Amino acid sequence: MAQIHTEQRFEEAIETHLLANGYIKGDKADFDPITALDTRQLLDFITTSQPKQWAKLSSQYGSQVESKFISRVVKELETQGTLAVLRHGIKDLGVPFRLAYFKPASTLTEDAVVAFTKNRLSITRQVRYSTRHANEIDVVLFVNGIPVATAELKNPLSRQNVQNGIKQYRKDRDPRDLLLSFKKRCLVHFAVDPDLVFMTTRLAGDQTDFLPFNRGRGPGI
């Protein structure tokens, strides 16, 4: 079968579209399966968007500032959940940090507009996400190094479709792995082929419920 019809080409097409629309290409080597974070994207976001706060934290932690900060983020994700951390940020030794900036309601607030542009949306392909096995997720999407979505991509021309993606999540993706743990990391998981998309917010083995996530054309679905 021609290589153009493989899932790799499907991945490339999605990646190319996202990179042309503001995303950054992530490096799977920067993903830490122990913390389930893209530590490089996270630290780059923090140090460039909040340099004063970072300098203050560095003065207290010294050479351990990066590892200490990442440990704090992990603890907050474990206790508060991904959505709360993205919305409200964290404090480390009393120093407040934003983990994401949301689009301001008005362009008149210049500082908020500038802050919003500091966000680092990234796509990383073929992510090995666990220390317990060698499984890889086709695509992981990150907001400032924090994973928010995974996707398994299937191409009917290679004899697979969205139902194979759903089966893969149910049978081969263990929700005990941190990247896939409910609320603690990714918020949503997509099974995708060129025609259909299904999604779930909670992986639960064979009991995982998938819902359609299909926009269709015009009034169609």
Side-chain angles (χ1 to χ4, degrees):
M1 181 173 292
Q3 190 176 12
I4 195 171
H5 295 324
T6 65
E7 289 165 12
Q8 180 182 353
R9 288 293 184 258
F10 191 23
E11 282 183 31
E12 289 173 354
I14 291 175
E15 180 185 64
T16 298
H17 176 77
L18 291 178
L19 295 181
N21 288 274
Y23 274 71
I24 298 167
K25 182 180 177 67
D27 186 339
K28 62 183 179 181
D30 291 332
F31 180 80
D32 179 6
I34 296 175
T35 63
L37 298 170
D38 183 327
T39 53
R40 179 46 47 203
Q41 294 293 339
L42 172 59
L43 292 171
D44 284 351
F45 165 72
I46 292 295
T47 56
T48 58
S49 66
Q50 298 153 88
K52 292 181 179 179
Q53 293 93 316
W54 185 253
K56 186 174 182 179
L57 195 67
S58 297
S59 69
Q60 298 181 71
Y61 278 140
S63 62
Q64 294 183 306
V65 63
E66 291 189 356
S67 61
K68 291 288 189 180
F69 179 76
I70 289 170
S71 294
R72 183 63 182 178
V73 172
V74 168
K75 182 178 180 180
E76 291 298 313
L77 287 168
E78 293 290 317
T79 57
Q80 305 299 322
T82 297
L83 196 56
V85 167
L86 288 173
R87 282 178 172 170
H88 306 300
I90 67 169
K91 286 186 177 181
D92 193 355
L93 296 182
V95 182
F97 288 93
R98 297 293 300 271
L99 273 297
Y101 290 103
F102 291 86
K103 188 174 183 179
S106 171
T107 57
L108 297 177
T109 52
E110 185 175 347
D111 289 347
V113 172
V114 172
F116 178 68
T117 66
K118 299 290 187 181
N119 286 318
R120 301 176 69 87
L121 308 181
S122 59
I123 173 173
T124 306
R125 294 166 51 191
Q126 297 301 316
V127 175
R128 183 171 293 186
Y129 58 93
S130 177
T131 59
R132 300 187 300 115
H133 52 72
N135 290 350
E136 296 179 339
I137 293 282
D138 287 344
V139 168
V140 183
L141 302 180
F142 298 82
V143 174
N144 302 321
I146 297 176
V148 294
T150 71
E152 292 291 355
L153 310 181
K154 303 301 173 185
N155 194 330
L157 293 173
S158 59
R159 301 183 183 277
Q160 295 217 322
N161 61 25
V162 70
Q163 293 302 323
N164 296 97
I166 290 173
K167 181 179 179 181
Q168 190 170 26
Y169 274 119
R170 286 174 173 164
K171 299 291 186 181
D172 302 328
R173 299 292 176 248
D174 190 340
R176 292 175 298 178
D177 287 316
L178 186 54
L179 178 69
L180 309 178
S181 295
F182 182 57
K183 291 187 178 180
K184 294 182 179 180
R185 290 300 185 273
C186 284
L187 302 174
V188 63
H189 309 279
F190 296 101
V192 186
D193 70 26
D195 299 308
L196 295 172
V197 181
F198 284 80
M199 56 80 68
T200 184
T201 57
R202 184 170 190 168
L203 295 177
D206 289 336
Q207 304 304 311
T208 304
D209 290 323
F210 276 85
L211 298 173
F213 191 79
N214 307 308
R215 295 180 60 186
R217 296 183 179 179
I221 59 172

